[in-house]
Amino acid sequence: MKIAILGFGTVGSGVYDIIANGDTRMRVTAIFIRPTHPATMPEMTTDLDAILNDPTIDVIVETMGGLHPAHDYILQALQHGKHVVTANKAVVAKYLPEFTAVAAQHHVQFYFEATTGGGIPWIRNLERAARIDQIDTIEGIFNGTSNYILDQMQRAHLDFDPVLLAAKDMGYAEADPSADIDGEDVVNKLKISAALAYNMAPPRDVPTFGIRNVSKADIDFFASQRQVLRLIGKSKCHGDHYSTVVEPRLYSETALAANTFENFNLIRLHGQTIGDLQFYGQGAGKYPTANAIVQDLYDILENAPHLDRSFDQPLHFDANLNVTDYVLRADPMTFAMFNDRETEIVNDRLVIKQIPTGDMHKLMRGVLAIDADAFMAAIGDSELAAKDVLHQQDQEVIG
């Protein structure tokens, strides 16, 4: 099987290394680079048309990232009768149904294991569960960079900025880390996962709040309550309604999520017959992600088809499908926004009891308009009350 790689950055070069030192049935014969990139290997070319029109190339691996020109390149590859494997979560989250339909029309495969969970075989196992079961919940740590930051802030007792700098030095965070710390990376992975789980088009609505505003004082306070903060993506499906949310969430220090350290991911699905399945592993990095791409290449080589999805289930988004407790650190003048809720003060923070997720995120936008440095986190699961996890002696019920 002859392979062309589009883009030769961290992931693309990782794919090349694994193939070059692995199965002789696979060979990289072309590497597409931009005109500004020096051609340092004989396989490198700036001529995409030559790759598309080469009948000997069976598969195109897209590792360029971003929406454009990746969208056009993937479509052209599929239309030229070439299988496509990609790690590009942004383009898959937006165009998955289109890519799948075009691939079917041209009798080729479009695989994307590497988009979600790094080296964890999450997509493949989600597909396996969904082919015989009704998946109703997806939840977990989808982003290795944010997990590394939160873990180091707690276990190494560091501030946000130096940990973010260390994450950049280690290659976990990009020069612009916004997608990781603001939650957009998790949003794309959650969209892909929900689309597969529920056989629906990738959702457009995902209430999102990241970790940009978390402080060492927040982490220390949570630790004093025996709680650990993680950035979580979560989706639920109930009947013909579904929800999605990306937000910081507190877990008991004994929970699996609380003990997922460094850049590791922990992702869970719940099916009505299989129950809970959890997947743990490297969520970021050159070789874990490249490994996932090569797994997809093996599936093409060995004619192992993936789940066939039409993405046409007519589900309705409901931001308030989840109800949970939240803790808010903000200017006290913003607390009046929650006067119609049951609340209590804990160490100068406001705990809001059993508030729908959509309502909380909407109110949080108003809080941020007054206090741009405010921070919030969900507390445990919806059935856990704040008094069970935040138990300071000086609580004052104000709602």
Side-chain angles (χ1 to χ4, degrees):
M1 184 169 73
K2 293 184 178 180
I3 300 158
I5 300 174
L6 307 189
F8 205 64
T10 300
V11 176
S13 61
V15 172
Y16 181 89
D17 291 346
I18 292 175
I19 294 174
N21 295 285
D23 197 321
T24 56
R25 293 178 296 171
M26 297 182 190
R27 186 159 66 93
V28 176
T29 59
I31 300 169
F32 176 74
I33 57 173
R34 299 181 188 275
T36 55
H37 190 291
T40 58
M41 300 167 61
E43 299 93 341
M44 290 182 170
T45 178
T46 59
D47 190 346
L48 180 64
D49 288 338
I51 293 174
L52 295 174
N53 292 305
D54 185 341
T56 70
I57 293 177
D58 305 293
V59 187
I60 288 181
V61 173
E62 187 273 313
T63 64
M64 300 180 69
L67 292 178
H68 301 289
H71 171 251
D72 294 335
Y73 289 176
I74 290 172
L75 281 183
Q76 290 180 58
L78 296 171
Q79 291 162 352
H80 279 77
K82 300 188 187 301
H83 306 290
V84 173
V85 176
T86 182
N88 186 340
K89 62 190 75 69
V91 78
V92 174
K94 187 172 179 64
Y95 297 109
L96 176 56
E98 179 184 20
F99 291 150
T100 301
V102 173
Q105 291 168 7
H106 293 273
H107 309 291
V108 291
Q109 303 298 335
F110 175 71
Y111 290 165
F112 46 93
E113 179 68 62
T115 61
T116 309
I120 301 173
W122 164 248
I123 296 295
R124 190 73 166 116
N125 282 289
L126 177 60
E127 289 178 335
R128 287 175 61 86
R131 68 185 180 183
I132 62 171
D133 208 348
Q134 186 169 342
I135 308 301
D136 56 38
T137 305
I138 297 163
E139 179 180 16
I141 300 166
F142 286 87
N143 182 269
T145 302
S146 63
N147 202 66
Y148 174 82
I149 291 170
L150 294 175
D151 176 50
Q152 289 299 297
M153 288 182 72
Q154 175 146 1
R155 293 199 297 146
H157 306 288
L158 297 172
D159 287 318
F160 183 91
D161 289 340
V163 178
L164 176 59
L165 183 60
K168 291 181 179 180
D169 291 341
M170 297 177 71
Y172 296 156
E174 301 291 339
D176 179 0
S178 299
D180 294 318
I181 65 176
D182 292 332
E184 190 59 35
D185 177 79
V186 182
V187 167
N188 287 327
K189 294 171 180 177
L190 190 62
K191 286 181 176 181
I192 294 167
S193 300
L196 287 172
Y198 313 143
N199 194 26
M200 60 178 284
R204 292 176 297 175
D205 302 299
V206 184
T208 305
F209 187 77
I211 63 167
R212 183 183 292 271
N213 285 0
V214 69
S215 68
K216 184 176 182 297
D218 294 325
I219 298 294
D220 291 344
F221 169 66
F222 300 145
S224 75
Q225 304 299 306
R226 300 193 294 276
Q227 299 295 300
V228 176
L229 188 71
R230 294 290 182 256
L231 182 62
I232 299 295
K234 185 172 184 177
S235 177
K236 293 185 70 174
C237 186
H238 181 72
D240 61 353
H241 286 72
Y242 76 94
S243 66
T244 50
V245 65
V246 174
E247 62 188 2
R249 182 171 288 267
L250 290 167
Y251 292 90
S252 165
E253 62 186 6
T254 60
L256 285 175
N259 290 278
T260 300
F261 304 133
E262 299 287 338
N263 69 319
F264 281 74
N265 285 187
L266 176 70
I267 313 175
R268 174 178 76 94
L269 68 82
H270 182 271
Q272 293 192 358
T273 63
I274 196 62
D276 274 338
L277 292 177
Q278 303 205 49
F279 301 86
Y280 171 86
Q282 288 276 355
K286 176 177 182 174
Y287 289 113
T289 305
N291 185 284
I293 289 176
V294 177
Q295 290 286 359
D296 277 346
L297 292 174
Y298 267 105
D299 285 347
I300 294 170
L301 180 66
E302 297 171 357
N303 195 28
H306 290 197
L307 180 68
D308 185 15
R309 281 301 210 190
S310 56
F311 304 108
D312 59 358
Q313 192 69 18
L315 299 180
H316 305 285
F317 175 70
D318 183 356
N320 286 336
L321 196 59
N322 290 306
V323 177
T324 192
D325 301 335
Y326 285 84
V327 57
L328 170 67
R329 186 260 299 149
D331 188 316
M333 68 181 298
T334 66
F335 293 177
M337 296 181 185
F338 302 89
N339 280 347
D340 61 341
R341 303 284 180 178
E342 182 184 358
T343 61
E344 56 188 0
I345 299 283
V346 182
N347 197 18
D348 297 326
R349 290 164 172 82
L350 186 70
V351 176
I352 305 103
K353 307 286 190 69
Q354 295 298 280
I355 180 171
T357 295
D359 289 351
M360 184 64 201
H361 279 252
K362 182 178 180 179
L363 286 164
M364 191 63 190
R365 291 194 289 271
V367 170
L368 290 169
I370 296 172
D371 180 357
D373 295 321
F375 184 75
M376 75 170 188
I379 303 174
D381 293 325
S382 59
E383 66 271 14
L384 296 180
K387 64 179 182 294
D388 295 325
V389 293
L390 291 172
H391 49 269
Q392 289 283 348
Q393 297 298 315
D394 58 346
Q395 292 178 344
E396 175 192 356
V397 177
I398 63 173

